Amino acid sequence: MFEKFLPRLRVNSVYDLDLDALYASGYRYIMTDLDNTLVGAKAPLATPELIEWFKIVKEKGFKLIIVSNNNLGRVSAFSAPLNIEFVHTARKPSTSAFLRAMKMMGAQPQETIMIGDQLMTDIFGGNRLGLYTVLVLPIAVADEGWGTRINRRLEKFVKRSLKKAGLWTWEDKN
């Protein structure tokens, strides 16, 4: 029942992704959430480490786009200095923003990765389209808004259900 919330991969952060293995498996496009996936929810700009990661992603041959539920001002202020395309006010887990992002990149679901920190939005939305979903640990939970805090409570219930079914095999700190 809860399998649609199950990520294909769970890593601590985007820096733990094996980009070479993903590319060798046929993935060419990366969609990523912004807040608490790439930077803390209140961090306005990319860190030097993240800027380097973006550079590596491009060098490996991936196209990347940010898909965020946040507003135009927040997402644009982060993305514009990096020259990264984005979809704002995505209303994830609705599939429309994922489809729009894939169209912007020229991607097909079977060659697209979705990276995010939330089961209820990023993973569920990506799984609905058959994307390769990757769950990362949230960067700064203390900075999250009320909507995300509600989602985190729902996530705990979903994770418990997946554990009972023997499907959630990762250790969690949250």
Side-chain angles (χ1 to χ4, degrees), residues 20-39:
D20 291 324
L22 291 168
Y23 196 88
S25 295
Y27 298 101
R28 299 294 183 266
Y29 304 93
I30 296 175
M31 279 188 239
T32 181
D33 178 48
L34 172 57
D35 294 322
N36 277 337
T37 297
L38 298 176
V39 294

Side-chain angles (χ1 to χ4, degrees), residues 22-106:
L22 291 168
Y23 196 88
S25 295
Y27 298 101
R28 299 294 183 266
Y29 304 93
I30 296 175
M31 279 188 239
T32 181
D33 178 48
L34 172 57
D35 294 322
N36 277 337
T37 297
L38 298 176
V39 294
K42 294 191 177 175
L45 301 172
T47 63
E49 183 181 24
L50 184 60
I51 292 169
E52 181 63 22
W53 184 78
F54 287 140
K55 181 181 168 193
I56 292 167
V57 165
K58 285 184 179 181
E59 287 172 355
K60 301 261 182 208
F62 289 96
K63 284 189 179 180
L64 183 134
I65 191 167
I66 294 172
V67 180
S68 174
N69 282 350
N70 215 319
N71 63 52
L72 173 62
R74 161 68 173 142
V75 184
S76 177
F78 179 87
S79 302
L82 302 167
N83 199 29
I84 295 175
E85 288 190 295
F86 62 88
V87 175
H88 65 89
T89 319
R91 293 186 171 87
K92 295 177 288 183
S94 169
T95 58
S96 60
F98 295 104
L99 292 169
R100 181 171 169 214
M102 283 192 296
K103 184 175 181 180
M104 289 168 71
M105 293 189 295

